[in-house]
Amino acid sequence: MSHSHRHEHGGGDAYSHNHGHSHEPYDGPGKYETRATGSQELWSKRNFEQRAFTVGIGGPVGSGKTALVLALCQALREKITLAVVTVGIG
């Protein structure tokens, strides 16, 4: 679905543009299973050797993020090719 709308960015400046997504409000976060990419049939056909899979891990300092990433890497390193990207905020 594509449409046009206006954005206001401080100082009263506005601009219009077309783009490939909509901004309709949602009643809730939705369910992954109801998304087209969330169907079991599509997942069973995916080749994860040809596509990256991303996992985001967040939390407060001391919550165990690094320990979790270490455990995941140790458990998966013999099974898949993996990489870890870290971002330090602050």
Side-chain angles (χ1 to χ4, degrees):
M1 173 187 283
S2 182
H3 73 282
S4 177
H5 66 272
R6 291 173 56 84
H7 286 279
E8 300 268 344
H9 292 279
D13 295 331
Y15 66 94
S16 297
H17 63 275
N18 292 315
H19 57 285
H21 64 271
S22 65
H23 293 264
E24 286 82 21
Y26 292 105
D27 293 332
K31 296 192 181 283
Y32 185 76
E33 309 83 53
T34 62
R35 292 175 45 194
T37 58
S39 75
Q40 183 63 36
E41 181 181 347
L42 289 176
W43 275 90
S44 64
K45 295 178 183 177
R46 280 194 176 165
N47 181 349
F48 287 100
E49 292 178 1
Q50 296 178 346
R51 180 184 182 280
F53 189 76
T54 304
V55 175
I57 300 171
V61 172
S63 62
K65 299 177 296 295
T66 300
L68 174 60
V69 170
L70 176 61
L72 287 170
C73 289
Q74 289 172 335
L76 298 173
R77 67 182 171 201
E78 300 297 325
K79 298 175 182 154
I80 62 171
T81 301
L82 60 93
V84 174
V85 177
T86 63
V87 177
I89 301 174

